[in-house]
Amino acid sequence: MTVFSETLQSLRKEKKLTQNGLAEQLGVSPQAVSKWENGSYPDADFIPHIADFFEVSIDQLYGREKKKLSMEEEIYESISKEFGWNDKEKQKVYFDRVLEFFWASFNGCFTWKTEYQKKPVREDTACGSVLITTEGLVFQSNRKICECGFVLKRPPEGFGTLFSEKERLAGLFYFLSDQNNLKILEFMFSLREAEAVKSSVVAAKLGLEKEAVEKSLDILISYSQWAGAFDCIRIMDDGEKSEKAYTINLGNASNFLFLLAMAQFINHPTTSFEPLTIQMDSKKEALVNLVQR
């Protein structure tokens, strides 16, 4: 077998086609396909037709070019080669690139654009882009103080499910509405992974009562939706007395940072869209349906 015949057979099998099926798609006889896969070649004028059908280059048919990667595979290959867990400069570049990828991924939805426009970053302006449809929402902030991107796919039962468990939601937002609780939360994020801090230390650093600190942190632990974000242990002293100490699991607690980031844009609404990319398909259908209209 030749490289061409092996490549042809492999591409055919990837498409889950028999030789007869491929012959039908190409408009040739099954005998022709069989000959090609056993070492013969099509007429030169027919090669581009085969390449177009399999969406590959002619070079790839002859084994002179690597298989074309999907967009997702190209991104994966690019990132996996360049990201560095212990290299802060590479990590900075990574987040810059991810935001650029994110920007490109949904700005392509705006059909009036004729070419890609690089993501702008504004020093003071609360600028960003929004895509709103009844199937999901996408938002990206290009404000330098808090660059971020969010995508929300429509839940199976609709966006109304985000308003379920109103009592727990009210409790969470009530907790976060207290400035002392926000100070305690901020202090906990100053800890490194696997570090523990005594409640007395937190109280002294923030000028709060120890009992108030323990109460607030115990409330944080109680939220089941943040299970594992915070935990409490007891540290014994020489007199066999114990004191509460608290830890943070940054992986689970990061949800609070996402929530705080979104709160930035509630407090500082987007005042300009770059480049005026707001689009809606929900003018005839509400995002949350409470009653039949």
Side-chain angles (χ1 to χ4, degrees):
M1 293 177 68
T2 64
V3 172
F4 173 83
S5 62
E6 290 178 350
T7 303
L8 181 64
Q9 187 179 97
S10 175
L11 291 171
R12 172 176 64 78
K13 290 180 178 179
E14 283 183 15
K15 279 189 172 287
K16 295 181 171 54
L17 289 172
T18 63
Q19 288 186 345
N20 287 354
L22 178 58
E24 184 177 344
Q25 292 291 326
L26 296 177
V28 297
S29 68
Q31 292 80 8
V33 174
S34 177
K35 288 180 180 179
W36 298 340
E37 291 190 3
N38 282 283
S40 67
Y41 293 92
D43 293 338
D45 291 343
F46 199 74
I47 296 293
H49 181 56
I50 297 175
D52 289 344
F53 174 75
F54 287 111
E55 297 180 324
V56 298
S57 68
I58 294 176
D59 278 348
Q60 188 176 327
L61 284 177
Y62 287 94
R64 300 178 59 186
E65 183 182 281
K66 290 183 179 180
K67 178 182 176 181
K68 185 177 181 181
L69 298 177
S70 66
M71 178 180 65
E72 295 82 2
E73 289 172 322
E74 288 181 352
I75 293 174
Y76 170 83
E77 292 287 341
S78 174
I79 294 298
S80 64
K81 291 177 182 177
E82 298 178 13
F83 184 76
W85 283 102
N86 298 312
D87 190 324
K88 290 188 178 296
E89 188 58 35
K90 285 187 175 181
Q91 291 176 19
K92 180 181 181 300
V93 172
Y94 166 77
F95 284 103
D96 286 339
R97 293 192 66 193
V98 167
L99 284 173
E100 195 71 43
F101 290 149
F102 191 87
W103 170 262
S105 71
F106 83 93
N107 267 247
C109 300
F110 300 100
T111 54
W112 59 82
K113 294 184 181 180
T114 58
E115 60 183 19
Y116 176 69
Q117 181 175 350
K118 187 173 176 63
K119 180 177 71 68
V121 177
R122 299 289 184 260
E123 192 73 37
D124 301 315
T125 307
C127 67
S129 288
V130 180
L131 171 66
I132 307 172
T133 83
T134 51
E135 291 304 314
L137 295 84
V138 183
F139 171 77
Q140 181 162 352
S141 165
N142 299 327
R143 189 184 184 201
K144 192 172 184 179
I145 193 173
C146 189
E147 289 184 73
C148 63
F150 295 93
V151 57
L152 174 61
K153 181 180 177 181
R154 181 184 184 276
E157 301 302 321
F159 292 108
T161 57
L162 300 177
F163 292 87
S164 62
E165 298 186 333
K166 292 182 177 61
E167 183 177 347
R168 291 191 63 80
L169 287 172
L172 174 62
F173 287 117
Y174 178 78
F175 176 85
L176 294 175
S177 70
D178 186 286
Q179 290 190 36
N180 288 336
N181 290 337
L182 288 175
K183 290 179 181 179
I184 293 170
L185 183 62
E186 182 182 15
F187 185 91
M188 292 304 293
F189 272 104
S190 74
L191 300 179
R192 291 186 288 268
E193 191 76 17
E195 282 188 327
V197 61
K198 291 182 180 180
S199 54
S200 58
V201 173
V202 179
K205 291 286 188 181
L206 300 180
L208 301 173
E209 295 293 329
K210 175 183 172 183
E211 292 75 15
V213 169
E214 291 182 353
K215 180 179 179 181
S216 292
L217 285 169
D218 288 341
I219 290 174
L220 277 177
I221 293 172
S222 72
Y223 284 113
S224 61
Q225 61 264 50
W226 312 120
F230 302 94
D231 203 358
C232 176
I233 60 176
R234 287 189 173 272
I235 298 178
M236 301 291 293
D237 61 19
D238 292 339
E240 296 187 355
K241 291 183 179 180
S242 65
E243 181 179 345
K244 283 184 176 182
Y246 295 87
T247 63
I248 183 172
N249 181 309
L250 294 174
N252 293 329
S254 60
N255 293 304
F256 280 97
L257 294 182
F258 294 131
L259 181 60
L260 292 171
M262 287 307 300
Q264 284 277 340
F265 309 112
I266 296 174
N267 285 326
H268 304 281
T270 299
T271 55
S272 66
F273 291 91
E274 295 283 356
L276 297 175
T277 50
I278 181 167
Q279 181 170 308
M280 300 179 67
D281 78 342
S282 56
K283 293 181 179 179
K284 296 182 179 180
E285 182 181 347
L287 292 180
V288 176
N289 293 311
L290 295 179
V291 296
Q292 295 292 330
R293 299 192 184 193

